[in-house]
Amino acid sequence: LQLARGNDQDLISTVNPIELCRYAKNAVISNRKRRKQSNLSLEEGIDESSLIAQLSSVETVDDSWEDMLAILNVLQSYGCITASSHDSGDKSAPESFKITTAGEDVAMLGLDNSLWVLVAMGGAWDVKGDSSKLDEFKTAMRDFDIFDDEHANDISQETENSIPLPQSEAATLISLLRSLEPSEIAGYVSCLIADGFRGGNGSALTYFQNLSSTQQRVIQNSLASLERLVEVQNKFSVDETCSKVQLELGTCEVVTAWASGCSWNEALEISGLAPGDLVRTLHRALDALRQIGNLKYN
């Protein structure tokens, strides 16, 4: 309240809607400032006491424009928008963009991170190579025999076939998705949009082992797409709180079973969720599937 009212020390009177909105906005800005200062401390080795001093001295600035530019950069990297050339040759003219087919698909998806869902379905990939450092890391690890031969072949595939590796990974993912049963696709999609999982105490490995072999292969391949998107988002300092990339395996088994026709009691037993939480999980999966199904065929 003190932040919202500035220098006014009157904290007794009733809060009005404008002050409440200003307070909420300041809270978001402060969180962004803490996140960016924390990243700076890791990069430059600032100790905790110095970091606290900086956080106290730095003026709270609305950096929403910077966050929007970061998201624009990611959308460009994934071919969702392309910069339009200026016919007049005036470089001082405002930059404009054209929305591609992938961009139209992202716009039609009203999900927490629509780009991630499209990427995980093989509909978009890193066309500008902004995740190349990830490939360099994997190549270096291959020299130490960290990755198996199959993964090593994937890394060298770009050179052999002249196909960018991200595009090749997306094509492989699409091929695997086509081999899934409808109920298995429903379970997979639920992993992409799950807002946390409040079910049993199983580990990610346990959830993974409970999936079908085809689903396991899809999950393994989608991890490469996840790593690339996270790499690109980190490169452009995208606010992770508004563009979260996740793969929640805990929901996959129960959504797959429910889509296959299991009973309500069986679904409750499989998930370990409270009835209300299970309804929410199934509803979110159904809504995401409906949105994906409404996309144009490309």
Side-chain angles (χ1 to χ4, degrees):
L1 183 57
Q2 188 171 5
L3 283 172
R5 292 184 174 178
N7 295 327
D8 188 358
Q9 299 300 317
D10 179 17
L11 304 179
I12 302 177
S13 60
T14 305
V15 178
N16 60 51
I18 295 178
E19 290 176 332
L20 186 60
C21 291
R22 190 179 298 123
Y23 168 77
K25 186 175 182 180
N26 281 331
V28 173
I29 295 173
S30 298
N31 287 335
R32 288 174 180 166
K33 183 178 69 172
R34 291 189 183 95
R35 173 177 56 82
K36 292 185 178 182
Q37 290 292 336
S38 178
N39 293 338
L40 181 64
S41 68
L42 294 176
E43 294 175 1
E44 301 186 3
I46 302 175
D47 58 39
E48 185 175 353
S49 59
S50 300
L51 179 59
I52 293 175
Q54 280 199 4
L55 287 174
S56 302
S57 61
V58 174
E59 181 182 357
T60 300
V61 179
D62 187 353
D63 56 357
S64 300
W65 178 250
E66 294 180 4
D67 289 334
M68 192 193 76
L69 291 179
I71 293 175
L72 281 177
N73 287 329
V74 174
L75 291 174
Q76 278 189 280
S77 297
Y78 276 81
C80 298
I81 56 176
T82 56
S84 301
S85 57
H86 298 294
D87 297 333
S88 62
D90 184 8
K91 295 183 179 180
S92 63
E95 188 174 12
S96 59
F97 298 91
K98 291 182 179 179
I99 300 177
T100 64
T101 300
E104 292 176 353
D105 290 342
V106 170
M108 289 184 65
L109 295 175
L111 305 171
D112 293 340
N113 191 339
S114 298
L115 176 59
W116 159 234
V117 174
L118 188 65
V119 167
M121 299 300 291
W125 57 87
D126 177 17
V127 299
K128 294 183 65 177
D130 286 317
S131 60
S132 58
K133 287 188 177 181
L134 185 63
D135 295 328
E136 295 174 2
F137 172 76
K138 290 181 178 179
T139 302
M141 291 299 98
R142 182 185 59 182
D143 296 338
F144 291 98
D145 296 327
I146 299 298
F147 296 113
D148 55 24
D149 294 337
E150 181 179 354
H151 197 89
N153 292 335
D154 291 340
I155 295 178
S156 61
Q157 186 175 2
E158 179 177 358
T159 304
E160 296 175 358
N161 300 335
S162 299
I163 299 176
L165 186 54
Q167 183 178 355
S168 176
E169 291 172 351
T172 301
L173 184 56
I174 291 174
S175 177
L176 290 172
L177 287 170
R178 287 174 174 170
S179 66
L180 291 177
E181 296 293 330
S183 59
E184 293 176 328
I185 292 180
Y188 172 68
V189 169
S190 74
C191 297
L192 310 177
I193 50 87
D195 184 19
F197 183 66
R198 304 179 181 86
N201 298 322
S203 63
L205 178 59
T206 302
Y207 296 139
F208 180 78
Q209 292 173 338
N210 290 337
L211 306 180
S212 66
S213 58
T214 313
Q215 282 178 317
Q216 290 177 354
R217 291 186 62 193
V218 170
I219 294 295
Q220 287 175 321
N221 280 268
S222 65
L223 286 175
S225 300
L226 183 149
E227 290 175 343
R228 288 192 183 280
L229 182 54
V230 170
E231 176 73 18
V232 174
Q233 289 192 166
N234 289 340
K235 177 179 180 179
F236 295 113
S237 300
V238 173
D239 187 353
E240 59 186 14
T241 60
C242 65
S243 299
K244 190 174 182 180
V245 181
Q246 63 180 2
L247 199 60
E248 178 55 70
L249 300 183
T251 63
C252 189
E253 183 183 9
V254 64
V255 173
T256 301
W258 179 255
S260 299
C262 76
S263 67
W264 177 251
N265 289 334
E266 289 173 336
L268 287 172
E269 182 178 355
I270 292 171
S271 66
L273 291 168
D277 290 334
L278 179 56
V279 169
R280 184 171 183 272
T281 297
L282 297 175
H283 182 270
R284 285 176 63 90
L286 177 61
D287 178 60
L289 288 166
R290 181 168 51 246
Q291 293 188 47
I292 294 172
N294 286 335
L295 296 179
K296 296 179 181 179
Y297 177 78
N298 299 306

